Amino acid sequence: MTVESTAARSTARRSGTGGKRATQAAAENGKPAGTGTAEAPEGAAAPGGTSRPKAEGKSRGTAAKTPAKSTRKPAAKSTAKAAPKAPAKSTGKSAAKTAAKSPAKTGTRTTDAKAPAKTRTRTTDAKNPAKAGTRAGSRARGNGSAQPDPELVQLLTPEGERVSHPDYDVDLSAEEIQGLYRDMVLTRRFDAEATALQRQGELGLWASLLGQEAAQIGSGRALREDDYVFPTYREHGVAWCRDVDPTMLLGMFRGVNNGGWDPNSNNFHLYTIVIGSQVLHATGYAMGVAKDGADSAVIAYFGDGASSQGDVAEAFTFSAVYNAPVVFFCQNNQWAISEPTERQSRVPIYQRAQGYGFPGVRVDGNDVLACLAVTKAAVERARAGEGPMLIEAFTYRMGAHTTSDDPTRYRSDEERTAWEAKDPIQRLRSYLEGAKLADDAFFARIDEESEAMGQHVREAIRTMPDPDTMAIFENVYADGHALVDEERAQFAEYQASFATEAGSGAAAGEGK
């Protein structure tokens, strides 16, 4: 049995295809995006190989002739036929028959269909061409190299070179691009100051967004004022785009409020600590928007870890059935605390949308222009009554999950170094400099504004009141509860003991 190290596992990332092309192709065949036999071979063929295009061609032909039957038995047949045509020749007819007769077994992490219990391993194998091709391609893209990923929507390379995409693009002025750079720099500065304040004991906890600025600013700036946002607890950049005072975000983490802003004043819901629940809230709100006849859109943010929650699956189901105008924006930062994405999903997260009947697309989450373009297209689609869409922003959490986490215990320094080469802020700066869209004076002004932002945050947090230590016992039960009363009394006695000890120490000092 071969077991890879944590560092090796963490570099094995999955990839796939999707976006408008997949949606349009499905629509041409007279069926909703993500359904029918045309989608079945995607899981069986290695990305970039020759087997998927052939399988898709056969499946689509079948769907055109017999649309009523294409969504059931033919799907299994097309999957079985596609397997022998995969790049690795070692997968023979027996594997294809096994896939057709016992799909549950072929879906396990095994390298040998005959002895799955004994050969359970995380290593790639020529007998499993789909996984081998996917993980090999992911390793090539995750090592900091400039090799483009054809399955990733990208408008700026890691070196800051402007590229085009056939389905998504933006036409921005120099001032607008400068504004995106300013947004990201100030958001990072605020985030860094909040982290430092937590280390100094001013905050109880802080969830950093370091490395995810492009995903948040790009998507946040794609929204209209009347669109509604449902965040998690890390969307500091989106809050900035919705004109929420950054210092208001600190109140909750200091324990002095339960969210310091009115959600309806900025169409930005309160931070949600419960993992994944806001995705259901967003879906319900979007269903209401549709019933009201409004043309606004709703966007729900969540992470790769939250994608494993049942609430997210239920939200996908309801949004698809009711054609809700909601965009699901998953920031896949590779780690759900210490759990890598490969332990969260057997396929790329955006491909899950296919099973629910709406399109999904993967975007370079460190490319602010691509995130802006894809999100803009998704919300416009929702406003037009075309239903939900899933966006997977493929990014990286360069810091800890929260300030209570130590990422060095479960991931390597090499992995972080590789992703630092794709830093979203440096990427946009390189583009601005290379295209001569900004000069040194501009960057100097942003640096000065950044320092002013840090000073403002420090002063604001130090003038905030200390949290009420007894408030945790309030509003637990409407009519009170004997156990809560007992716990309140015990905690009050514990707190009072510190004052007693401090007084005794002072008295002892005076007697010397």
Side-chain angles (χ1 to χ4, degrees), residues 409-444:
R409 295 174 63 88
Y410 54 82
R411 67 184 190 189
S412 66
D413 292 337
E414 291 77 11
E415 179 179 290
R416 174 177 168 131
T417 300
W419 277 93
E420 284 178 344
K422 307 174 186 180
D423 183 276
I425 296 180
Q426 182 57 47
R427 181 183 303 201
L428 187 59
R429 176 165 183 157
S430 297
Y431 172 65
L432 286 168
E433 292 175 334
K436 300 188 184 306
L437 299 177
D439 54 16
D440 292 339
F442 165 76
F443 294 113

PDB file of all heavy atoms in Angstrom, residues 409-444:
ATOM      1  N   ARG A 409       1.475  22.684   9.749  1.00  0.00           N
ATOM      2  CA  ARG A 409       1.303  21.308  10.237  1.00  0.00           C
ATOM      3  C   ARG A 409       0.748  20.384   9.167  1.00  0.00           C
ATOM      4  O   ARG A 409       0.819  19.156   9.310  1.00  0.00           O
ATOM      5  CB  ARG A 409       0.382  21.288  11.458  1.00  0.00           C
ATOM      6  CG  ARG A 409       0.963  22.000  12.672  1.00  0.00           C
ATOM      7  CD  ARG A 409      -0.057  22.073  13.793  1.00  0.00           C
ATOM      8  NE  ARG A 409      -0.432  20.754  14.279  1.00  0.00           N
ATOM      9  CZ  ARG A 409       0.193  20.098  15.233  1.00  0.00           C
ATOM     10  NH1 ARG A 409       1.247  20.645  15.823  1.00  0.00           N
ATOM     11  NH2 ARG A 409      -0.195  18.902  15.617  1.00  0.00           N
ATOM     12  N   TYR A 410       0.173  20.926   8.095  1.00  0.00           N
ATOM     13  CA  TYR A 410      -0.459  20.049   7.113  1.00  0.00           C
ATOM     14  C   TYR A 410      -0.144  20.393   5.652  1.00  0.00           C
ATOM     15  O   TYR A 410      -0.618  19.707   4.749  1.00  0.00           O
ATOM     16  CB  TYR A 410      -1.982  20.040   7.311  1.00  0.00           C
ATOM     17  CG  TYR A 410      -2.640  21.402   7.306  1.00  0.00           C
ATOM     18  CD1 TYR A 410      -2.955  22.053   6.120  1.00  0.00           C
ATOM     19  CD2 TYR A 410      -2.964  22.043   8.503  1.00  0.00           C
ATOM     20  CE1 TYR A 410      -3.568  23.293   6.118  1.00  0.00           C
ATOM     21  CE2 TYR A 410      -3.575  23.284   8.517  1.00  0.00           C
ATOM     22  CZ  TYR A 410      -3.883  23.903   7.318  1.00  0.00           C
ATOM     23  OH  TYR A 410      -4.489  25.134   7.324  1.00  0.00           O
ATOM     24  N   ARG A 411       0.627  21.439   5.381  1.00  0.00           N
ATOM     25  CA  ARG A 411       0.990  21.711   3.992  1.00  0.00           C
ATOM     26  C   ARG A 411       2.426  22.219   3.927  1.00  0.00           C
ATOM     27  O   ARG A 411       2.970  22.732   4.911  1.00  0.00           O
ATOM     28  CB  ARG A 411       0.020  22.690   3.339  1.00  0.00           C
ATOM     29  CG  ARG A 411       0.056  24.089   3.907  1.00  0.00           C
ATOM     30  CD  ARG A 411      -1.014  24.956   3.269  1.00  0.00           C
ATOM     31  NE  ARG A 411      -0.840  26.368   3.630  1.00  0.00           N
ATOM     32  CZ  ARG A 411      -1.714  27.319   3.360  1.00  0.00           C
ATOM     33  NH1 ARG A 411      -2.845  27.023   2.740  1.00  0.00           N
ATOM     34  NH2 ARG A 411      -1.461  28.577   3.714  1.00  0.00           N
ATOM     35  N   SER A 412       3.018  22.097   2.764  1.00  0.00           N
ATOM     36  CA  SER A 412       4.447  22.380   2.617  1.00  0.00           C
ATOM     37  C   SER A 412       4.715  23.836   2.268  1.00  0.00           C
ATOM     38  O   SER A 412       3.859  24.530   1.703  1.00  0.00           O
ATOM     39  CB  SER A 412       5.033  21.486   1.512  1.00  0.00           C
ATOM     40  OG  SER A 412       4.477  21.841   0.250  1.00  0.00           O
ATOM     41  N   ASP A 413       5.921  24.277   2.570  1.00  0.00           N
ATOM     42  CA  ASP A 413       6.350  25.619   2.192  1.00  0.00           C
ATOM     43  C   ASP A 413       6.476  25.736   0.680  1.00  0.00           C
ATOM     44  O   ASP A 413       6.245  26.812   0.109  1.00  0.00           O
ATOM     45  CB  ASP A 413       7.700  25.946   2.841  1.00  0.00           C
ATOM     46  CG  ASP A 413       7.596  26.080   4.354  1.00  0.00           C
ATOM     47  OD1 ASP A 413       6.485  26.350   4.848  1.00  0.00           O
ATOM     48  OD2 ASP A 413       8.621  25.902   5.041  1.00  0.00           O
ATOM     49  N   GLU A 414       6.838  24.632   0.028  1.00  0.00           N
ATOM     50  CA  GLU A 414       6.977  24.657  -1.427  1.00  0.00           C
ATOM     51  C   GLU A 414       5.644  24.963  -2.110  1.00  0.00           C
ATOM     52  O   GLU A 414       5.598  25.662  -3.119  1.00  0.00           O
ATOM     53  CB  GLU A 414       7.521  23.318  -1.933  1.00  0.00           C
ATOM     54  CG  GLU A 414       8.964  23.033  -1.550  1.00  0.00           C
ATOM     55  CD  GLU A 414       9.113  22.588  -0.103  1.00  0.00           C
ATOM     56  OE1 GLU A 414       8.068  22.296   0.538  1.00  0.00           O
ATOM     57  OE2 GLU A 414      10.255  22.533   0.396  1.00  0.00           O
ATOM     58  N   GLU A 415       4.574  24.435  -1.544  1.00  0.00           N
ATOM     59  CA  GLU A 415       3.260  24.677  -2.128  1.00  0.00           C
ATOM     60  C   GLU A 415       2.899  26.153  -2.053  1.00  0.00           C
ATOM     61  O   GLU A 415       2.447  26.755  -3.033  1.00  0.00           O
ATOM     62  CB  GLU A 415       2.202  23.853  -1.401  1.00  0.00           C
ATOM     63  CG  GLU A 415       0.786  24.053  -1.930  1.00  0.00           C
ATOM     64  CD  GLU A 415      -0.220  23.189  -1.200  1.00  0.00           C
ATOM     65  OE1 GLU A 415      -0.189  21.955  -1.394  1.00  0.00           O
ATOM     66  OE2 GLU A 415      -1.025  23.736  -0.427  1.00  0.00           O
ATOM     67  N   ARG A 416       3.110  26.751  -0.903  1.00  0.00           N
ATOM     68  CA  ARG A 416       2.820  28.175  -0.764  1.00  0.00           C
ATOM     69  C   ARG A 416       3.704  29.012  -1.677  1.00  0.00           C
ATOM     70  O   ARG A 416       3.242  29.968  -2.299  1.00  0.00           O
ATOM     71  CB  ARG A 416       2.995  28.622   0.692  1.00  0.00           C
ATOM     72  CG  ARG A 416       2.841  30.132   0.835  1.00  0.00           C
ATOM     73  CD  ARG A 416       2.942  30.614   2.251  1.00  0.00           C
ATOM     74  NE  ARG A 416       3.059  32.078   2.263  1.00  0.00           N
ATOM     75  CZ  ARG A 416       2.332  32.874   3.017  1.00  0.00           C
ATOM     76  NH1 ARG A 416       1.419  32.374   3.816  1.00  0.00           N
ATOM     77  NH2 ARG A 416       2.508  34.175   2.979  1.00  0.00           N
ATOM     78  N   THR A 417       4.981  28.659  -1.766  1.00  0.00           N
ATOM     79  CA  THR A 417       5.897  29.410  -2.622  1.00  0.00           C
ATOM     80  C   THR A 417       5.436  29.393  -4.079  1.00  0.00           C
ATOM     81  O   THR A 417       5.504  30.399  -4.784  1.00  0.00           O
ATOM     82  CB  THR A 417       7.323  28.829  -2.516  1.00  0.00           C
ATOM     83  OG1 THR A 417       7.751  28.912  -1.162  1.00  0.00           O
ATOM     84  CG2 THR A 417       8.283  29.583  -3.405  1.00  0.00           C
ATOM     85  N   ALA A 418       4.956  28.224  -4.516  1.00  0.00           N
ATOM     86  CA  ALA A 418       4.474  28.111  -5.895  1.00  0.00           C
ATOM     87  C   ALA A 418       3.286  29.031  -6.138  1.00  0.00           C
ATOM     88  O   ALA A 418       3.177  29.661  -7.190  1.00  0.00           O
ATOM     89  CB  ALA A 418       4.090  26.660  -6.194  1.00  0.00           C
ATOM     90  N   TRP A 419       2.407  29.142  -5.153  1.00  0.00           N
ATOM     91  CA  TRP A 419       1.231  29.987  -5.322  1.00  0.00           C
ATOM     92  C   TRP A 419       1.541  31.469  -5.121  1.00  0.00           C
ATOM     93  O   TRP A 419       0.836  32.330  -5.659  1.00  0.00           O
ATOM     94  CB  TRP A 419       0.114  29.533  -4.375  1.00  0.00           C
ATOM     95  CG  TRP A 419      -0.656  28.387  -4.948  1.00  0.00           C
ATOM     96  CD1 TRP A 419      -0.438  27.068  -4.749  1.00  0.00           C
ATOM     97  CD2 TRP A 419      -1.774  28.481  -5.837  1.00  0.00           C
ATOM     98  NE1 TRP A 419      -1.354  26.321  -5.456  1.00  0.00           N
ATOM     99  CE2 TRP A 419      -2.182  27.158  -6.121  1.00  0.00           C
ATOM    100  CE3 TRP A 419      -2.472  29.541  -6.402  1.00  0.00           C
ATOM    101  CZ2 TRP A 419      -3.254  26.881  -6.969  1.00  0.00           C
ATOM    102  CZ3 TRP A 419      -3.547  29.265  -7.241  1.00  0.00           C
ATOM    103  CH2 TRP A 419      -3.922  27.947  -7.519  1.00  0.00           C
ATOM    104  N   GLU A 420       2.576  31.766  -4.367  1.00  0.00           N
ATOM    105  CA  GLU A 420       2.978  33.164  -4.218  1.00  0.00           C
ATOM    106  C   GLU A 420       3.419  33.751  -5.549  1.00  0.00           C
ATOM    107  O   GLU A 420       3.296  34.964  -5.783  1.00  0.00           O
ATOM    108  CB  GLU A 420       4.102  33.280  -3.187  1.00  0.00           C
ATOM    109  CG  GLU A 420       3.613  33.159  -1.747  1.00  0.00           C
ATOM    110  CD  GLU A 420       4.751  33.223  -0.753  1.00  0.00           C
ATOM    111  OE1 GLU A 420       5.922  33.057  -1.182  1.00  0.00           O
ATOM    112  OE2 GLU A 420       4.477  33.436   0.442  1.00  0.00           O
ATOM    113  N   ALA A 421       3.919  32.898  -6.437  1.00  0.00           N
ATOM    114  CA  ALA A 421       4.307  33.354  -7.772  1.00  0.00           C
ATOM    115  C   ALA A 421       3.096  33.774  -8.593  1.00  0.00           C
ATOM    116  O   ALA A 421       3.247  34.417  -9.632  1.00  0.00           O
ATOM    117  CB  ALA A 421       5.075  32.250  -8.499  1.00  0.00           C
ATOM    118  N   LYS A 422       1.898  33.381  -8.138  1.00  0.00           N
ATOM    119  CA  LYS A 422       0.660  33.737  -8.835  1.00  0.00           C
ATOM    120  C   LYS A 422      -0.113  34.808  -8.084  1.00  0.00           C
ATOM    121  O   LYS A 422      -1.318  34.960  -8.272  1.00  0.00           O
ATOM    122  CB  LYS A 422      -0.217  32.494  -9.000  1.00  0.00           C
ATOM    123  CG  LYS A 422       0.484  31.311  -9.648  1.00  0.00           C
ATOM    124  CD  LYS A 422      -0.417  30.084  -9.642  1.00  0.00           C
ATOM    125  CE  LYS A 422       0.320  28.858 -10.159  1.00  0.00           C
ATOM    126  NZ  LYS A 422      -0.531  27.654 -10.162  1.00  0.00           N
ATOM    127  N   ASP A 423       0.571  35.543  -7.205  1.00  0.00           N
ATOM    128  CA  ASP A 423      -0.076  36.548  -6.359  1.00  0.00           C
ATOM    129  C   ASP A 423      -0.975  37.472  -7.179  1.00  0.00           C
ATOM    130  O   ASP A 423      -0.530  38.055  -8.172  1.00  0.00           O
ATOM    131  CB  ASP A 423       0.995  37.367  -5.643  1.00  0.00           C
ATOM    132  CG  ASP A 423       0.388  38.382  -4.696  1.00  0.00           C
ATOM    133  OD1 ASP A 423       0.029  39.479  -5.158  1.00  0.00           O
ATOM    134  OD2 ASP A 423       0.253  38.069  -3.507  1.00  0.00           O
ATOM    135  N   PRO A 424      -2.224  37.615  -6.806  1.00  0.00           N
ATOM    136  CA  PRO A 424      -3.167  38.413  -7.617  1.00  0.00           C
ATOM    137  C   PRO A 424      -2.823  39.886  -7.702  1.00  0.00           C
ATOM    138  O   PRO A 424      -3.048  40.521  -8.742  1.00  0.00           O
ATOM    139  CB  PRO A 424      -4.506  38.191  -6.903  1.00  0.00           C
ATOM    140  CG  PRO A 424      -4.147  37.780  -5.512  1.00  0.00           C
ATOM    141  CD  PRO A 424      -2.875  37.018  -5.632  1.00  0.00           C
ATOM    142  N   ILE A 425      -2.280  40.467  -6.645  1.00  0.00           N
ATOM    143  CA  ILE A 425      -1.959  41.896  -6.662  1.00  0.00           C
ATOM    144  C   ILE A 425      -0.738  42.158  -7.532  1.00  0.00           C
ATOM    145  O   ILE A 425      -0.736  43.080  -8.366  1.00  0.00           O
ATOM    146  CB  ILE A 425      -1.747  42.414  -5.232  1.00  0.00           C
ATOM    147  CG1 ILE A 425      -3.060  42.303  -4.437  1.00  0.00           C
ATOM    148  CG2 ILE A 425      -1.245  43.849  -5.248  1.00  0.00           C
ATOM    149  CD1 ILE A 425      -2.959  42.779  -3.007  1.00  0.00           C
ATOM    150  N   GLN A 426       0.303  41.358  -7.373  1.00  0.00           N
ATOM    151  CA  GLN A 426       1.500  41.534  -8.188  1.00  0.00           C
ATOM    152  C   GLN A 426       1.182  41.285  -9.658  1.00  0.00           C
ATOM    153  O   GLN A 426       1.740  41.940 -10.551  1.00  0.00           O
ATOM    154  CB  GLN A 426       2.600  40.585  -7.714  1.00  0.00           C
ATOM    155  CG  GLN A 426       3.911  40.738  -8.470  1.00  0.00           C
ATOM    156  CD  GLN A 426       4.447  42.150  -8.412  1.00  0.00           C
ATOM    157  OE1 GLN A 426       4.497  42.767  -7.347  1.00  0.00           O
ATOM    158  NE2 GLN A 426       4.839  42.694  -9.563  1.00  0.00           N
ATOM    159  N   ARG A 427       0.280  40.345  -9.924  1.00  0.00           N
ATOM    160  CA  ARG A 427      -0.105  40.041 -11.304  1.00  0.00           C
ATOM    161  C   ARG A 427      -0.713  41.266 -11.985  1.00  0.00           C
ATOM    162  O   ARG A 427      -0.341  41.615 -13.108  1.00  0.00           O
ATOM    163  CB  ARG A 427      -1.107  38.883 -11.318  1.00  0.00           C
ATOM    164  CG  ARG A 427      -1.550  38.465 -12.709  1.00  0.00           C
ATOM    165  CD  ARG A 427      -2.600  37.374 -12.671  1.00  0.00           C
ATOM    166  NE  ARG A 427      -2.178  36.183 -11.959  1.00  0.00           N
ATOM    167  CZ  ARG A 427      -2.718  34.985 -12.111  1.00  0.00           C
ATOM    168  NH1 ARG A 427      -3.725  34.821 -12.952  1.00  0.00           N
ATOM    169  NH2 ARG A 427      -2.300  33.956 -11.420  1.00  0.00           N
ATOM    170  N   LEU A 428      -1.641  41.926 -11.287  1.00  0.00           N
ATOM    171  CA  LEU A 428      -2.279  43.101 -11.877  1.00  0.00           C
ATOM    172  C   LEU A 428      -1.301  44.263 -11.966  1.00  0.00           C
ATOM    173  O   LEU A 428      -1.332  45.041 -12.926  1.00  0.00           O
ATOM    174  CB  LEU A 428      -3.510  43.497 -11.064  1.00  0.00           C
ATOM    175  CG  LEU A 428      -4.366  44.615 -11.679  1.00  0.00           C
ATOM    176  CD1 LEU A 428      -4.876  44.205 -13.056  1.00  0.00           C
ATOM    177  CD2 LEU A 428      -5.525  44.978 -10.763  1.00  0.00           C
ATOM    178  N   ARG A 429      -0.434  44.384 -10.985  1.00  0.00           N
ATOM    179  CA  ARG A 429       0.564  45.458 -11.043  1.00  0.00           C
ATOM    180  C   ARG A 429       1.489  45.277 -12.247  1.00  0.00           C
ATOM    181  O   ARG A 429       1.830  46.250 -12.941  1.00  0.00           O
ATOM    182  CB  ARG A 429       1.377  45.503  -9.749  1.00  0.00           C
ATOM    183  CG  ARG A 429       2.489  46.549  -9.792  1.00  0.00           C
ATOM    184  CD  ARG A 429       3.051  46.861  -8.441  1.00  0.00           C
ATOM    185  NE  ARG A 429       4.077  47.917  -8.531  1.00  0.00           N
ATOM    186  CZ  ARG A 429       4.419  48.694  -7.517  1.00  0.00           C
ATOM    187  NH1 ARG A 429       3.836  48.545  -6.337  1.00  0.00           N
ATOM    188  NH2 ARG A 429       5.345  49.617  -7.680  1.00  0.00           N
ATOM    189  N   SER A 430       1.907  44.053 -12.489  1.00  0.00           N
ATOM    190  CA  SER A 430       2.767  43.784 -13.646  1.00  0.00           C
ATOM    191  C   SER A 430       2.064  44.174 -14.942  1.00  0.00           C
ATOM    192  O   SER A 430       2.694  44.719 -15.863  1.00  0.00           O
ATOM    193  CB  SER A 430       3.155  42.304 -13.685  1.00  0.00           C
ATOM    194  OG  SER A 430       3.908  41.945 -12.547  1.00  0.00           O
ATOM    195  N   TYR A 431       0.773  43.912 -15.007  1.00  0.00           N
ATOM    196  CA  TYR A 431       0.014  44.293 -16.205  1.00  0.00           C
ATOM    197  C   TYR A 431      -0.079  45.808 -16.337  1.00  0.00           C
ATOM    198  O   TYR A 431       0.123  46.359 -17.427  1.00  0.00           O
ATOM    199  CB  TYR A 431      -1.388  43.686 -16.147  1.00  0.00           C
ATOM    200  CG  TYR A 431      -2.292  44.180 -17.257  1.00  0.00           C
ATOM    201  CD1 TYR A 431      -2.013  43.886 -18.591  1.00  0.00           C
ATOM    202  CD2 TYR A 431      -3.421  44.946 -16.964  1.00  0.00           C
ATOM    203  CE1 TYR A 431      -2.834  44.340 -19.608  1.00  0.00           C
ATOM    204  CE2 TYR A 431      -4.247  45.407 -17.973  1.00  0.00           C
ATOM    205  CZ  TYR A 431      -3.949  45.105 -19.295  1.00  0.00           C
ATOM    206  OH  TYR A 431      -4.758  45.571 -20.303  1.00  0.00           O
ATOM    207  N   LEU A 432      -0.360  46.492 -15.242  1.00  0.00           N
ATOM    208  CA  LEU A 432      -0.457  47.949 -15.282  1.00  0.00           C
ATOM    209  C   LEU A 432       0.868  48.581 -15.705  1.00  0.00           C
ATOM    210  O   LEU A 432       0.897  49.538 -16.498  1.00  0.00           O
ATOM    211  CB  LEU A 432      -0.874  48.482 -13.906  1.00  0.00           C
ATOM    212  CG  LEU A 432      -2.330  48.270 -13.506  1.00  0.00           C
ATOM    213  CD1 LEU A 432      -2.529  48.575 -12.021  1.00  0.00           C
ATOM    214  CD2 LEU A 432      -3.256  49.132 -14.347  1.00  0.00           C
ATOM    215  N   GLU A 433       1.948  48.042 -15.187  1.00  0.00           N
ATOM    216  CA  GLU A 433       3.263  48.586 -15.537  1.00  0.00           C
ATOM    217  C   GLU A 433       3.636  48.252 -16.977  1.00  0.00           C
ATOM    218  O   GLU A 433       4.119  49.116 -17.729  1.00  0.00           O
ATOM    219  CB  GLU A 433       4.323  48.049 -14.578  1.00  0.00           C
ATOM    220  CG  GLU A 433       4.179  48.563 -13.157  1.00  0.00           C
ATOM    221  CD  GLU A 433       5.158  47.919 -12.200  1.00  0.00           C
ATOM    222  OE1 GLU A 433       5.606  46.772 -12.464  1.00  0.00           O
ATOM    223  OE2 GLU A 433       5.478  48.548 -11.173  1.00  0.00           O
ATOM    224  N   GLY A 434       3.402  47.000 -17.365  1.00  0.00           N
ATOM    225  CA  GLY A 434       3.767  46.581 -18.719  1.00  0.00           C
ATOM    226  C   GLY A 434       2.977  47.296 -19.799  1.00  0.00           C
ATOM    227  O   GLY A 434       3.512  47.638 -20.859  1.00  0.00           O
ATOM    228  N   ALA A 435       1.688  47.531 -19.528  1.00  0.00           N
ATOM    229  CA  ALA A 435       0.836  48.218 -20.496  1.00  0.00           C
ATOM    230  C   ALA A 435       0.894  49.726 -20.351  1.00  0.00           C
ATOM    231  O   ALA A 435       0.182  50.439 -21.057  1.00  0.00           O
ATOM    232  CB  ALA A 435      -0.611  47.730 -20.337  1.00  0.00           C
ATOM    233  N   LYS A 436       1.711  50.184 -19.412  1.00  0.00           N
ATOM    234  CA  LYS A 436       1.872  51.630 -19.144  1.00  0.00           C
ATOM    235  C   LYS A 436       0.525  52.296 -18.835  1.00  0.00           C
ATOM    236  O   LYS A 436       0.203  53.379 -19.329  1.00  0.00           O
ATOM    237  CB  LYS A 436       2.546  52.311 -20.338  1.00  0.00           C
ATOM    238  CG  LYS A 436       3.937  51.761 -20.647  1.00  0.00           C
ATOM    239  CD  LYS A 436       4.645  52.569 -21.694  1.00  0.00           C
ATOM    240  CE  LYS A 436       6.008  51.946 -22.051  1.00  0.00           C
ATOM    241  NZ  LYS A 436       6.880  51.710 -20.895  1.00  0.00           N
ATOM    242  N   LEU A 437      -0.257  51.610 -17.984  1.00  0.00           N
ATOM    243  CA  LEU A 437      -1.557  52.135 -17.558  1.00  0.00           C
ATOM    244  C   LEU A 437      -1.471  52.832 -16.207  1.00  0.00           C
ATOM    245  O   LEU A 437      -2.457  53.397 -15.741  1.00  0.00           O
ATOM    246  CB  LEU A 437      -2.584  50.998 -17.492  1.00  0.00           C
ATOM    247  CG  LEU A 437      -2.861  50.267 -18.806  1.00  0.00           C
ATOM    248  CD1 LEU A 437      -3.852  49.125 -18.570  1.00  0.00           C
ATOM    249  CD2 LEU A 437      -3.394  51.229 -19.862  1.00  0.00           C
ATOM    250  N   ALA A 438      -0.304  52.763 -15.570  1.00  0.00           N
ATOM    251  CA  ALA A 438      -0.103  53.421 -14.279  1.00  0.00           C
ATOM    252  C   ALA A 438       1.378  53.732 -14.126  1.00  0.00           C
ATOM    253  O   ALA A 438       2.247  52.983 -14.610  1.00  0.00           O
ATOM    254  CB  ALA A 438      -0.588  52.542 -13.137  1.00  0.00           C
ATOM    255  N   ASP A 439       1.669  54.837 -13.439  1.00  0.00           N
ATOM    256  CA  ASP A 439       3.058  55.235 -13.228  1.00  0.00           C
ATOM    257  C   ASP A 439       3.445  55.071 -11.764  1.00  0.00           C
ATOM    258  O   ASP A 439       2.637  54.659 -10.919  1.00  0.00           O
ATOM    259  CB  ASP A 439       3.285  56.673 -13.696  1.00  0.00           C
ATOM    260  CG  ASP A 439       2.309  57.653 -13.049  1.00  0.00           C
ATOM    261  OD1 ASP A 439       1.673  57.295 -12.030  1.00  0.00           O
ATOM    262  OD2 ASP A 439       2.170  58.784 -13.570  1.00  0.00           O
ATOM    263  N   ASP A 440       4.681  55.429 -11.452  1.00  0.00           N
ATOM    264  CA  ASP A 440       5.180  55.282 -10.085  1.00  0.00           C
ATOM    265  C   ASP A 440       4.391  56.153  -9.105  1.00  0.00           C
ATOM    266  O   ASP A 440       4.198  55.766  -7.942  1.00  0.00           O
ATOM    267  CB  ASP A 440       6.660  55.648 -10.026  1.00  0.00           C
ATOM    268  CG  ASP A 440       7.527  54.651 -10.774  1.00  0.00           C
ATOM    269  OD1 ASP A 440       7.062  53.510 -10.991  1.00  0.00           O
ATOM    270  OD2 ASP A 440       8.670  55.006 -11.135  1.00  0.00           O
ATOM    271  N   ALA A 441       3.944  57.312  -9.562  1.00  0.00           N
ATOM    272  CA  ALA A 441       3.180  58.200  -8.687  1.00  0.00           C
ATOM    273  C   ALA A 441       1.871  57.551  -8.244  1.00  0.00           C
ATOM    274  O   ALA A 441       1.454  57.698  -7.086  1.00  0.00           O
ATOM    275  CB  ALA A 441       2.896  59.525  -9.401  1.00  0.00           C
ATOM    276  N   PHE A 442       1.247  56.808  -9.138  1.00  0.00           N
ATOM    277  CA  PHE A 442       0.001  56.117  -8.789  1.00  0.00           C
ATOM    278  C   PHE A 442       0.248  55.092  -7.688  1.00  0.00           C
ATOM    279  O   PHE A 442      -0.479  55.042  -6.685  1.00  0.00           O
ATOM    280  CB  PHE A 442      -0.589  55.434 -10.024  1.00  0.00           C
ATOM    281  CG  PHE A 442      -1.658  54.430  -9.704  1.00  0.00           C
ATOM    282  CD1 PHE A 442      -2.933  54.834  -9.345  1.00  0.00           C
ATOM    283  CD2 PHE A 442      -1.374  53.070  -9.743  1.00  0.00           C
ATOM    284  CE1 PHE A 442      -3.917  53.888  -9.032  1.00  0.00           C
ATOM    285  CE2 PHE A 442      -2.344  52.128  -9.438  1.00  0.00           C
ATOM    286  CZ  PHE A 442      -3.623  52.539  -9.078  1.00  0.00           C
ATOM    287  N   PHE A 443       1.255  54.264  -7.862  1.00  0.00           N
ATOM    288  CA  PHE A 443       1.536  53.223  -6.874  1.00  0.00           C
ATOM    289  C   PHE A 443       1.946  53.837  -5.534  1.00  0.00           C
ATOM    290  O   PHE A 443       1.605  53.300  -4.470  1.00  0.00           O
ATOM    291  CB  PHE A 443       2.627  52.290  -7.392  1.00  0.00           C
ATOM    292  CG  PHE A 443       2.217  51.490  -8.595  1.00  0.00           C
ATOM    293  CD1 PHE A 443       2.809  51.711  -9.829  1.00  0.00           C
ATOM    294  CD2 PHE A 443       1.224  50.531  -8.508  1.00  0.00           C
ATOM    295  CE1 PHE A 443       2.428  50.980 -10.942  1.00  0.00           C
ATOM    296  CE2 PHE A 443       0.833  49.782  -9.622  1.00  0.00           C
ATOM    297  CZ  PHE A 443       1.439  50.015 -10.847  1.00  0.00           C
ATOM    298  N   ALA A 444       2.648  54.962  -5.577  1.00  0.00           N
ATOM    299  CA  ALA A 444       3.032  55.637  -4.334  1.00  0.00           C
ATOM    300  C   ALA A 444       1.802  56.147  -3.601  1.00  0.00           C
ATOM    301  O   ALA A 444       1.716  56.042  -2.364  1.00  0.00           O
ATOM    302  CB  ALA A 444       3.988  56.789  -4.642  1.00  0.00           C
TER     303      ALA A 444
END
